[in-house]
Every structure is written in structure tokens, then in C-alpha cells.
Amino acid sequence: MAVTIKSEREIALMRESCRLLAHVHDRLGEMIRPGISTWEIDALGEKLIRECGGVPNFLNYNGYPASICVSVNEEVVHGIPSKERILKEGDIVSLDAGLIYKGYHSDAARTYPVGKVNDAVARLLRVTRQSFFEGIKYAREGCHLHDISFAIDSYCTRYGYGVVRDLVGHGIGTKLHEEPQVPNFKQWRRGIKLRAGMTLAIEPMVNMGGWRVRWLDDDWTVVTQDGSWSAHYENTVLITKGEPEILTLPSGMT
Ligand code: MF3
Ligand code: CO
């Protein structure tokens, strides 16, 4: 299926879905502390999503067994919440969450420090988040899709980090994953021309070491091949003729 251009009505619904998700993320961020299990984060996440009238879109997606992906340290994405996995001081934890509201999907991820983390790790979190903002400088009508990919990649590699290649961002709307794929690393082609009304989930996954990843035996959890720690930052973004609208941030802006 081709890349969809959302109508004004659809954009309004995307805004609502994403605003609810932004609120869920804010609440989840407040509970990150040493001693909490990744299962508790998922349980609260599911409760918050349902309380605001949403439905968790990750739950049972291709058999994924939870509502929130909770990935710790060298886990890149799709960590499965567990009562046995307790966060401890100095860890980092990525929360990837999404919901459906009135038929429209939202998707966003944040990576948090657990208590105090060392300077190198703090920098990974800052750079990963900033790489998203470097990327969306090109998320506007008239630019090409892979301008975003290039901007994210070149910013991260400047710090010696590896940008994950096996997983990419995506279009989003009435489905969680729509066309186009949104790579976070340099591409040979320019990609499609961006147009107002496209909604994209842009989600750099950045490793302190090399870009290579592997899957654990649970067939979900993605970890870095070299064991280096990894961060993930994602928002659902609306392309316009001017500045992009970051739908899953409360203010819609930075
Ligand atoms: N943000 C992830 C993605 O875009 C969430 C999907 S994980 C799954 O693919 F659990 F839903 F599979
Ligand atoms: Co996504």
C-alpha cells in the first residue's frame, strides 16, 4: 500500500491519540526508580492507556505479550516486561509505548536513566534524543525521506556511536506500521519526497558500540551484538509545509 496522506479529520484524530500517549509517557517517566520491576512499568502503562480510553496497540501484535516494550541497558528494543527484572541504580531503561484511539495509532519511546548514571551513558541518552531533532529538521514538505536518515546517522556517528540498521521507523495511522520505512542510517537513494499530511514514527536506536544487533531466544528482545548499551527515542510526527508537528510531545514542539 502506498504512503497515506491524512485528511484534516484524520490529523485531528492522530493529534488526540498522540496527545494521550504523551500523557502516558509522562506518567511512566515519573515512576522510573531503582527497585521497580519492568513488569510493574508495563502494568501501569496498560492501566494508563485504558484509563484514557485507548487500547494498547503492542499487546498481542505478532504475539508480543505486553503493552509496553521495556528494554534495559544492552537491550535495544522489544524487551519483554518481567517480574524478575528489577531496575537498579545506574541502569538505563527504554520505554516504547503506543495506543489506538478512535482507530488511530500513536507510537513513542523514551530512554531514562535509573537514578544516577555515568557521564558516558548520560551522553548516549542526550545524543540519541538530539539525533531525533537533527533528523526532523528535514521532516517537511519538499525534503526527501532519507534526508532524515542521513541527519540522524551523521549526528550519531560523530560521537562514535553505532546506529541500528536492522530496525527502522515507519509510517503510522490506521495501522501501527504503514509505509514508508524510515531508516536511521545513511541511504544510497534519496527516498520519497515528503508531503504535508504524512505521519511518521521516527525512532533512532543508537548503540554506544557497533551498530550490529541480535535477537534473544525469546524471539523478541533485541540486544547489541557487542554488549554495549543502547538508547531509543521516538515520536510520531506530522509533516507539514513548514515546521513538523511532534504529535507525541505535549506541546507539539521541542
Ligand atoms: N515502536 C515499535 C515499532 O514501531 C513498537 C512495536 S513493538 C511490538 O515497531 F511489540 F508491538 F511489536
Ligand atoms: Co515505532
Side-chain angles (χ1 to χ4, degrees):
M1 210 185 72
V3 178
T4 56
I5 303 291
K6 273 72 180 178
S7 66
E8 273 308 320
R9 182 192 71 88
E10 290 183 290
I11 289 169
L13 291 168
M14 288 294 293
R15 280 198 188 101
E16 281 190 64
S17 176
C18 290
R19 192 169 40 81
L20 296 174
L21 181 61
H23 170 74
V24 169
H25 259 300
D26 286 352
R27 296 287 304 278
L28 288 177
E30 290 162 9
M31 14 152 28
I32 299 305
R33 55 175 169 73
I36 194 169
S37 73
T38 58
W39 184 89
E40 287 172 272
I41 297 168
D42 175 60
L44 179 72
E46 176 167 2
K47 182 166 165 276
L48 290 167
I49 290 170
R50 294 194 190 280
E51 269 174 10
C52 70
V55 174
N57 48 3
F58 297 176
L59 186 62
N60 300 322
Y61 183 88
N62 292 335
Y64 184 75
S67 299
I68 315 290
C69 299
V70 187
S71 309
V72 184
N73 299 344
E74 78 285 354
E75 296 171 356
V76 179
V77 287
H78 304 170
I80 298 176
S82 153
K83 286 185 176 169
E84 272 84 66
R85 189 74 198 251
I86 312 291
L87 299 183
K88 56 180 197 306
E89 179 98 18
D91 284 344
I92 56 173
V93 62
S94 308
L95 309 185
D96 191 350
L99 61 82
I100 317 174
Y101 183 74
K102 295 185 180 168
Y104 283 81
H105 288 258
S106 48
D107 186 4
R110 316 268 180 257
T111 302
Y112 297 103
V114 182
K116 254 193 135 34
V117 296
N118 73 45
D119 290 349
V121 169
R123 190 178 70 158
L124 173 72
L125 303 190
R126 274 200 314 275
V127 169
T128 302
R129 181 178 180 283
Q130 185 58 33
S131 75
F132 165 86
F133 289 98
E134 296 299 320
I136 65 161
K137 288 177 182 170
Y138 301 91
R140 56 201 299 156
E141 182 158 298
C143 289
H144 287 263
L145 180 67
H146 298 159
D147 297 341
I148 300 173
S149 317
F150 181 79
I152 291 171
D153 195 18
S154 51
Y155 184 74
C156 293
T157 50
R158 201 185 303 163
Y159 291 86
Y161 297 149
V163 178
V164 172
R165 299 177 169 220
D166 299 63
L167 299 136
V168 295
H170 48 95
I172 181 168
T174 55
K175 289 183 292 177
L176 173 59
H177 294 138
E178 296 186 351
E179 283 186 45
Q181 295 198 0
V182 184
N184 299 299
F185 56 102
K186 189 179 170 180
Q187 302 295 300
W188 185 245
R189 296 173 183 276
R190 292 189 300 181
I192 59 163
K193 215 171 191 179
L194 298 176
R195 283 181 53 198
M198 291 178 177
T199 44
L200 304 176
I202 300 174
E203 49 179 319
M205 289 151 270
V206 183
N207 304 342
M208 283 181 87
W211 57 266
R212 285 189 173 77
V213 297
R214 65 186 177 88
W215 271 255
L216 294 186
D217 288 339
D218 63 18
D219 282 339
W220 276 107
T221 313
V222 180
V223 298
T224 59
Q225 205 162 86
D226 59 13
S228 66
W229 286 16
S230 183
H232 183 203
Y233 185 81
E234 172 181 29
N235 284 301
T236 298
V237 172
L238 171 68
I239 305 296
T240 75
K241 288 182 162 47
E243 293 294 305
E245 200 175 313
I246 308 170
L247 301 179
T248 45
L249 284 181
S251 62
M253 295 300 292
T254 59

